[in-house]
Amino acid sequence: MVKFYDGTDNAETCVNLSRNTANELNIEDKVTVYFLDAVKLKQLQKHYDLIITTWFTAGNFYPENFPFENYNLFFKKIDLSKNEKFDTVFTFAYKILNANGEVLIGACYIDNENTRKKQELSYQKMGMTVITGAKDSFTATKERFWSQIFTEEKIYQCFKFVKPEKISFTQLDPYDYAMQVRIKK
């Protein structure tokens, strides 16, 4: 039912894997995979009915010049009400939607203590050093991993250019860890 599919990734290994899979499934005429960071979506110069974020969460866009090496020395909460990478990606994604199109954010971590603790534990199990704490609306590691957490209100603020009734939320689990967000044009 899909006429064509374009995919992007900023990891060349993932792009090559996707291209090989499309060839193996004999659908390479329907699938184009670009080695492209999401902040450069303008380069595609196309319009879409549906844009889906999958592997990463929308919270993976950390601000330029974030001090991963010495963040915990600042002891100051970072204001993420304006996250330029997030804004660039999703503002443009919304602009390239066809009429009645939709941006589907596959998963956003929910801003609560339980989510923060789960993220910290997950990073620690992978051998990383967590540099954030309860005062932060994100979890980050010295190894440059980042997960921002959101409330529904934060999503509305990020998408100020969209009428609130065009944004919907679906819980993805029974313990308030993640939600899916749909933004309709």
Side-chain angles (χ1 to χ4, degrees):
M1 294 181 67
V2 175
K3 188 174 183 178
F4 66 89
Y5 171 88
D6 286 345
T8 66
D9 204 302
N10 63 355
E12 196 165 4
T13 302
C14 293
V15 169
N16 292 334
L17 178 62
S18 297
R19 288 176 180 159
N20 290 340
T21 301
N23 288 335
E24 289 171 12
L25 296 173
N26 201 26
I27 57 171
E28 64 275 2
D29 59 326
K30 288 183 151 193
V31 176
T32 305
V33 184
Y34 299 93
F35 179 52
L36 182 73
D37 192 302
V39 295
K40 298 179 181 177
L41 285 177
K42 280 186 179 182
Q43 293 178 11
L44 295 180
Q45 298 183 5
K46 294 182 178 182
H47 285 82
Y48 297 93
D49 294 320
L50 179 63
I51 297 173
I52 303 172
T53 64
T54 53
W55 180 254
F56 72 95
T57 67
N60 286 64
F61 298 112
Y62 55 84
E64 230 29 71
N65 303 320
F66 179 77
F68 285 97
E69 294 76 27
N70 57 6
Y71 175 72
N72 57 358
L73 300 176
F74 287 107
F75 300 107
K76 180 182 171 189
K77 186 174 181 176
I78 288 184
D79 178 17
L80 289 175
S81 59
K82 181 78 173 147
N83 182 329
E84 288 185 34
K85 282 185 183 179
F86 184 96
D87 292 347
T88 298
V89 170
F90 290 103
T91 300
F92 193 75
Y94 187 80
K95 284 181 184 177
I96 62 175
L97 285 175
N98 290 323
N100 299 314
E102 184 174 333
V103 173
L104 177 66
I105 301 174
C108 283
Y109 294 122
I110 298 171
D111 190 353
N112 61 47
E113 183 69 12
N114 186 45
T115 297
R116 182 186 63 77
K117 286 179 180 178
K118 284 179 182 284
Q119 287 177 328
E120 287 179 357
L121 183 60
S122 175
Y123 286 138
Q124 289 165 347
K125 283 183 178 180
M126 290 186 270
M128 295 184 208
T129 304
V130 174
I131 58 174
T132 50
K135 70 185 185 317
D136 299 300
S137 63
F138 58 95
T139 303
T141 71
K142 274 191 172 180
E143 295 78 12
R144 304 183 78 80
F145 277 74
W146 171 283
S147 298
Q148 189 171 343
I149 49 182
F150 296 90
T151 61
E152 289 182 8
E153 184 57 38
K154 283 183 191 177
I155 293 293
Y156 288 127
Q157 289 298 313
C158 291
F159 292 94
K160 291 179 196 172
F161 52 90
V162 178
K163 294 179 181 178
E165 61 270 16
K166 297 279 189 173
I167 301 173
S168 63
F169 304 90
T170 303
Q171 294 295 121
L172 294 177
D173 55 69
Y175 41 86
D176 288 333
Y177 184 64
M179 61 184 161
Q180 181 183 79
V181 182
R182 297 174 70 168
I183 300 110
K184 296 184 180 185
K185 193 160 192 179

